[in-house]
Amino acid sequence: MCGIMGYAGREPAAPIVLDGLSRLEYRGYDSAGLAVLTDDGELTIKKGAGKLARLKECIGDQIPAGTTGIGHTRWATHGKATETNAHPHTDSKGDVTVIHNGIVENYLELRKELVAAGHHFRSETDTEVIPHLIEEEVKKGHDLTAAVCHAIARIHGAAAIVAMRRAEPGVLVAARVANAGGVVIGYGEDAIYVASDLPALIPYARKVVFLADGEVARVTKDGATYLGADGKPVQKTPQAMPEGPLAAGKGLYKHFMAKEIAEQPESVLNTMSGVFTIDPPEVELPDAPMTDEEVAAIKRVVLVGMGTSFHAALIGRTYLERLAGIAAEADNASEYRYREPLIDSSVLVVAVLQSGETVDTLAAMHEARERGARVIAVCNTPGSQATRVAHGTVFTRCGPEIAVASTKTFVGSLAALYLLACHLGARRGVLTPAELASRLGELARMPQLIGRAIRTEAACERIANRFRAAQHFLFLGRGMQFPVAMEGALKLKEVSYIHAEGYAAGEMKHGPIALIDEAMPVVALVPKDTHYAKMLNNVEEVRARDGLVIAIATEGDEVAASKAHEVVYVPEAPALLAPMVTVVPLQYLAYHIALRRGADIDQPRNLAKTVTVE
Ligand code: M6R
């Protein structure tokens, strides 16, 4: 899940490559590097451990000359986040230079073979075998394009690579192996670009080509030619740059995370705008068309996702069951894909993924399609791979989410899943027109209610002051609030590095209660829903063991407040939609604790926004 950027043109390559990388850092920020080649074959490589800013500092105003270049921002898989392990990597002679996103699964055996053949390795990375493999092929007389084709045939695992050679200045060769993270070729004025994702190309490319699995592109400043997985030339027609991957600024906020939490009312509003009417009650999903026969044929829904999107999928499961009357299950995409799932054309698979690029979720989608299922993506990124793999997409229109910790796309996904469930429920005759109107009316009120939940920030700051030094947190919820408890724990872990667990409150007595003592803050989600009384019992059980209770309760609920050490009030909301309001104080709690602990909130250690390796 690294970011890759390449440029072949007439301008100095380094500033353009660095600029592209600055919009790819969400894919990793363990180290960064670039390589620039002049028309005379003079190669300059610069690398820095840590974020891109460090590389920029190293380069300063000594911008290396050359109009062809490649750059990389790394999320470490093999080998520590050191300068030596930073990409680009070269072959023994320094002729071939490569950047890579993915994992070469058979790198140990390849490395052994190459070392035996006299190759000298410098780094601990799996990537370094690639330039050496290419070098071997060049020795046989192949040009760079053919050498890359031969080299990638030896690689097991997913890999997106870009290579260049001192002996062939002006040429970049890009390849996408085994459904690796994306490779996009961007067509600009007098230049061609290569990137792992669209945001890198925003200022530069009007048209783009996406490489399919196994395809290779040969890029020069004058254009690009393509080879298919069988090594034969293929024609690929550049398409207009999809709308949507706009750059975002922090505005007046200190962090993107704070800005994105505050944008949640708008995210839900935009996701539902133009999609439904209440009078007459109708939901139209223009990007996820289905015939009446297809809708009627659905016997089961399987929702998949990872991280926050998995938590949204868990809530979506209930929407599909209650509103559409279809049996539904939700699973981690990474588990699902290897489970040999029992699915066929009667199953609708709903993949939730804000980025549209998460490798495990994409693999689950491929698996589902191969088994004959219909696949719908719930996605925030137009033009992303997921939107191309799925039969249809329900877009969340949250705008770009930059902070690594997902916030606004969680509520956006919930809105999209709710609309999908209403749409299917109405078409299957499960919801009468009056019920549909009422359900949609409830959704229409949510931006305003989330807006009121945003006002919990001050209360969360107070609680953050009190608990900033805690070492563990427990989050408890039941029913619709159980996935919210998991999401609250995930947010806290991610941005503040505090150990946290999200549990179904009914599970507490089956083990986690052993952890509770006077040092254990327990966040209890106790909105007034059907689980309210049982949740209050759980709160009592925590208190009886000296646990410190932070209650997230419905406005005006003095009973919950009297049982807790701290209370945050959220507005009353319909039970199915209440996660959109109860999650807000959990996001703020994580944010303000992280702020007080001096954590790197928007780019937490070890994480990347988009996970493109398994
Ligand atoms: O792009 P996706 O929604 O597929 O991303 C899935 C997870 O990587 C993501 O939700 C991750 O868990 C977030 N950092 C959580 O805040």
Side-chain angles (χ1 to χ4, degrees):
M1 44 215 234
C2 307
I4 58 183
M5 174 77 181
Y7 170 82
R10 291 170 173 79
E11 305 288 322
I16 295 169
V17 170
L18 288 171
D19 180 53
L21 290 181
S22 69
R23 277 185 299 282
L24 291 176
E25 255 197 318
Y26 66 89
R27 301 174 74 96
Y29 36 79
D30 285 338
S31 65
L34 69 80
V36 176
L37 195 55
T38 66
D39 290 348
D40 304 329
E42 195 182 310
L43 178 73
T44 309
I45 295 181
K46 298 277 182 191
K47 298 179 182 192
K51 295 186 181 180
L52 185 63
R54 176 82 197 108
L55 174 67
K56 287 183 178 166
E57 260 171 46
C58 295
I59 295 175
D61 49 13
Q62 309 284 298
I63 306 294
T67 54
T68 309
I70 55 180
H72 188 268
T73 172
R74 176 171 187 245
W75 186 84
T77 61
H78 295 64
K80 288 195 171 160
T82 59
E83 189 175 317
T84 312
N85 289 333
H87 300 211
H89 291 286
T90 58
D91 64 352
S92 315
K93 295 191 299 188
D95 177 33
V96 178
T97 310
V98 166
I99 50 174
H100 166 226
N101 171 32
I103 294 178
V104 181
E105 289 173 1
N106 55 335
Y107 83 102
L108 279 176
E109 98 197 34
L110 290 172
R111 187 167 167 140
K112 213 164 139 194
E113 173 192 317
L114 288 158
V115 167
H119 291 257
H120 171 61
F121 282 76
R122 300 174 191 92
S123 77
E124 304 159 298
T125 64
D126 56 330
T127 300
E128 201 181 346
V129 297
I130 303 173
H132 291 276
L133 282 174
I134 297 173
E135 180 188 3
E136 278 295 300
E137 298 300 329
V138 166
K139 274 195 227 159
K140 294 177 193 162
H142 296 301
D143 70 1
L144 183 62
T145 312
V148 167
C149 291
H150 289 290
I152 60 177
R154 304 227 33 222
I155 291 173
H156 300 168
I161 67 168
V162 188
M164 60 185 192
R165 258 193 92 195
R166 294 177 70 176
E168 294 178 56
V171 177
L172 297 179
V173 177
R176 180 163 176 249
V177 188
N179 285 318
V183 180
V184 194
I185 311 298
Y187 289 72
E189 277 177 26
D190 285 343
I192 306 285
Y193 305 80
V194 184
S196 41
D197 208 350
L198 293 169
L201 303 179
I202 294 165
Y204 304 112
R206 302 254 160 74
K207 296 205 160 174
V208 291
V209 158
F210 295 97
L211 288 196
D213 187 19
E215 287 184 341
V216 172
R218 180 181 188 276
V219 168
T220 68
K221 63 181 183 304
D222 300 316
T225 52
Y226 300 93
L227 300 175
D230 56 3
K232 298 200 177 121
V234 280
Q235 286 300 324
K236 291 185 78 81
T237 311
Q239 62 184 77
M241 175 92 158
E243 283 177 24
L246 300 172
K250 259 188 270 195
L252 296 175
Y253 292 87
K254 211 166 167 184
H255 297 98
F256 278 109
M257 184 178 177
K259 175 171 177 266
E260 289 160 4
I261 294 172
E263 283 173 353
Q264 291 183 108
E266 202 184 328
S267 299
V268 172
L269 185 66
N270 291 343
T271 298
M272 65 193 190
S273 288
V275 175
F276 72 84
T277 54
I278 293 180
D279 186 14
E282 275 170 5
V283 183
E284 294 291 337
L285 301 175
D287 299 305
M290 271 183 278
T291 64
D292 289 343
E293 293 70 38
E294 284 165 347
V295 170
I298 303 169
K299 298 273 179 299
R300 194 158 53 95
V301 179
V302 174
L303 298 103
V304 291
M306 298 300 289
T308 293
S309 290
F310 171 56
H311 300 154
L314 285 168
I315 293 171
R317 171 180 69 182
T318 309
Y319 293 167
L320 268 306
E321 290 191 335
R322 301 260 181 92
L323 304 175
I326 314 174
E329 58 191 90
D331 211 342
N332 277 103
S334 59
E335 291 298 313
Y336 184 76
R337 60 177 293 203
Y338 290 116
R339 231 178 40 185
E340 300 193 12
L342 294 176
I343 43 174
D344 56 25
S345 58
S346 69
V347 177
L348 174 69
V349 170
V350 179
V352 186
L353 63 177
Q354 75 79 23
S355 61
E357 303 286 342
T358 299
V359 72
D360 284 311
T361 313
L362 288 169
M365 293 167 75
H366 283 293
E367 181 74 31
R369 275 196 78 134
E370 274 161 27
R371 290 171 186 257
R374 188 161 190 83
V375 178
I376 289 183
V378 169
C379 184
N380 194 46
T381 314
S384 60
Q385 285 196 67
T387 63
R388 285 174 274 129
V389 174
H391 294 99
T393 302
V394 183
F395 283 103
T396 57
R397 302 188 192 279
C398 305
E401 188 176 67
I402 309 296
V404 164
S406 291
T407 52
K408 62 179 179 175
T409 55
F410 176 70
V411 295
S413 297
L414 296 188
L417 289 164
Y418 188 90
L419 287 165
L420 175 65
C422 285
H423 175 78
L424 293 176
R427 289 184 71 185
R428 289 166 68 94
V430 173
L431 291 178
T432 63
E435 283 164 342
L436 179 63
S438 152
R439 294 296 191 177
L440 293 173
E442 288 177 344
L443 180 64
R445 285 177 50 228
M446 290 316 295
Q448 191 243 339
L449 296 180
I450 301 168
R452 274 167 54 195
I454 298 290
R455 295 186 211 144
T456 59
E457 183 171 9
C460 296
E461 284 187 62
R462 183 190 74 231
I463 298 169
N465 280 333
R466 179 167 175 184
F467 293 105
R468 59 195 283 182
Q471 296 194 3
H472 309 275
F473 263 79
L474 201 56
F475 290 75
L476 299 177
R478 284 174 180 260
M480 301 305 295
Q481 298 300 327
F482 167 39
V484 180
M486 293 167 77
E487 177 60 9
L490 176 64
K491 286 288 90 79
L492 190 66
K493 276 186 269 214
E494 269 189 300
V495 299
S496 74
Y497 315 143
I498 293 176
H499 169 238
E501 302 281 350
Y503 263 96
E507 268 290 312
M508 187 178 67
K509 291 194 270 296
H510 300 271
I513 201 165
L515 295 171
I516 292 174
D517 61 14
E518 64 291 340
M520 175 66 95
V522 178
V523 179
L525 290 145
V526 287
K528 284 203 168 162
D529 58 18
T530 49
H531 301 282
Y532 177 68
K534 291 219 163 36
M535 274 305 301
L536 286 187
N537 290 342
N538 294 134
V539 166
E540 295 283 11
E541 289 156 7
V542 171
R543 290 215 55 155
R545 285 150 187 92
D546 294 331
L548 298 159
V549 176
I550 301 161
I552 310 298
T554 305
E555 278 169 3
D557 181 356
E558 287 173 14
V559 177
S562 70
K563 292 178 189 291
H565 296 87
E566 296 281 357
V567 65
V568 182
Y569 282 128
V570 291
E572 186 166 6
L576 289 186
L577 295 165
M580 291 186 189
V581 294
T582 52
V583 77
V584 176
L586 306 195
Q587 296 164 340
Y588 274 131
L589 193 60
Y591 174 77
H592 281 290
I593 290 180
L595 196 61
R596 281 152 184 77
R597 291 167 73 106
D600 190 346
I601 292 180
D602 284 338
Q603 293 185 325
R605 68 184 183 204
N606 303 341
L607 293 174
K609 180 74 180 160
T610 304
V611 180
T612 60
V613 292
E614 279 187 66

